[in-house]
Amino acid sequence: MVLLGSEGSVVLMCLFFTLVGVDSISGNLPPPENFSLSWHPRSLSVSVNWREPAGLDAKCKVNYTLAIYYEQKCPPRQNASDKLRTENLICEYPISKECEICVGITTNPMVCKEKKASEEIYKELSPPLALVKNFSCAYYANKKMNCTWTIVRYTPDLQLFYRQGGNTLKHCKSYLTSGILKTGCHLDDKDLMPLESVYFVISGTGENHLISNKFIIDIRASAVKPPKPKVYITQEGERLHFQASTPNFLAPQCLKYKYIYNKCNEKNEVFIESSSARVEYDPACKYTVRGQVVYTTYCGGSQNIESEMSEPEYYGEDGDPNLAFKVAMIVTPLIVCCCLIAAIVLFRRNKDIILPKIPEPSLFFKDMLNSTSDGLSKSLGGGKLYVPVKEVVASGVSLEPKSNLLHPNYDSCI
């Protein structure tokens, strides 16, 4: 069949677009081919392989962008955790643990006339069979670290190996156990440094073949565990001095300190860089102080790592707001009683001066009636005052001692 005129040209153009494809129409580069993922057998990383796109112009120079998504299924629903760009056809991406991962790849133009990046294609990778889960470590003292995990399947020959930097793998020498299960490892290694990551391998036999689970722990980012401090309180004049014990295995510039103290039921908080703090002291208040060590993001972590709060320390006693009134209610009656007792004693001692004796009226009138020459009749006529008659009182009377010259029967004779 022969196509003539404009209709034949239209048919030829449709056939051409169909053969070349949509990407050519839109000006996008084709995506890579034979895209595959696998776990690296000797390190904790994902091996990514692909081939360059088919039909790529020899004059077109391209590179590739890898996007890493920590998601179980592709295509991803969130933004990429990391992106890498390379001109090679193979790449290894290190991760912190074997988990579900989704990888996307695109072809990017470098020297390609009027071409745009290709659409992103995805591939997902499942983790290998797990022997353990919830693997974590705590660097709690100088050159010492504890790592723990949860058993997924019982493995009698389970073993842990570790290395730091380019050193060779070392075997765990001190396991933490729960019954017959190995649930952790205590590392006490003079080569263990807090500023480097540690590579771990847990291996054992499962389902009739050897299984290995790999982990990487960045000590300074997630494994540092500041110890619970001890707080000391001293008084310096009108201020209180708080002093917390400092961990000697961590750099001082990585640490901050938090103090929480109650003062007369009023809660306060102090967050400082040094291990000591000073606050105003109120003698009428009781202070309850607790301290905390904080490993800050200054040394590489994504967030601050806090120690446990210290045991509470106490200083002073709470004063009674009604103390003055209570003291007055107690002291005032005592003072009144003491004054009353003193007044009674003084009155008894000076009774004759304060209350002198007064003659009885009967004697006064008797003297008046018995008066003669110096009595009332004359005193009224002569203008003299009445002078009472003096009573005769015998004086100079004494007893004679008994005489020896008297007859013995003298008394009887009388």
Side-chain angles (χ1 to χ4, degrees), residues 225-231 257-261 267-271 288-294 306-313:
K225 181 62 176 177
K228 181 169 65 174
K230 170 71 175 176
V231 176
Y257 299 83
K258 183 193 297 184
Y259 292 98
I260 298 176
Y261 66 95
K267 188 174 182 179
N268 299 271
E269 185 172 312
V270 179
F271 190 65
T288 303
V289 185
R290 303 184 74 183
Q292 189 177 41
V293 181
V294 181
E306 299 178 343
S307 71
E308 296 179 10
M309 294 296 297
S310 70
E311 297 298 326
E313 297 293 331

Side-chain angles (χ1 to χ4, degrees), residues 276-319:
S276 62
R278 290 172 174 81
V279 299
E280 295 294 333
Y281 176 53
D282 186 350
C285 291
K286 179 180 180 180
Y287 286 73
T288 303
V289 185
R290 303 184 74 183
Q292 189 177 41
V293 181
V294 181
Y295 185 82
T296 65
T297 56
Y298 177 81
C299 290
S302 58
Q303 58 184 0
N304 291 342
I305 303 175
E306 299 178 343
S307 71
E308 296 179 10
M309 294 296 297
S310 70
E311 297 298 326
E313 297 293 331
Y314 305 97
Y315 193 89
E317 295 293 338
D318 284 331

Side-chain angles (χ1 to χ4, degrees), residues 295-356:
Y295 185 82
T296 65
T297 56
Y298 177 81
C299 290
S302 58
Q303 58 184 0
N304 291 342
I305 303 175
E306 299 178 343
S307 71
E308 296 179 10
M309 294 296 297
S310 70
E311 297 298 326
E313 297 293 331
Y314 305 97
Y315 193 89
E317 295 293 338
D318 284 331
D320 190 347
N322 299 320
L323 181 61
F325 176 75
K326 292 180 179 179
V327 170
M329 291 297 293
I330 296 174
V331 172
T332 301
L334 291 177
I335 295 176
V336 172
C337 291
C338 292
C339 293
L340 183 60
I341 293 173
I344 293 174
V345 172
L346 292 175
F347 178 79
R348 290 179 62 86
R349 289 183 178 181
N350 300 279
K351 182 177 65 174
D352 295 338
I353 298 175
I354 298 172
L355 299 174

Side-chain angles (χ1 to χ4, degrees), residues 38-47 92 98 125 199 214:
S38 62
W39 293 105
H40 195 283
R42 292 181 300 276
S43 64
L44 185 49
S45 61
V46 176
S47 296
E92 291 185 4
E98 296 173 326
L125 179 64
Y199 172 72
K214 304 178 183 68

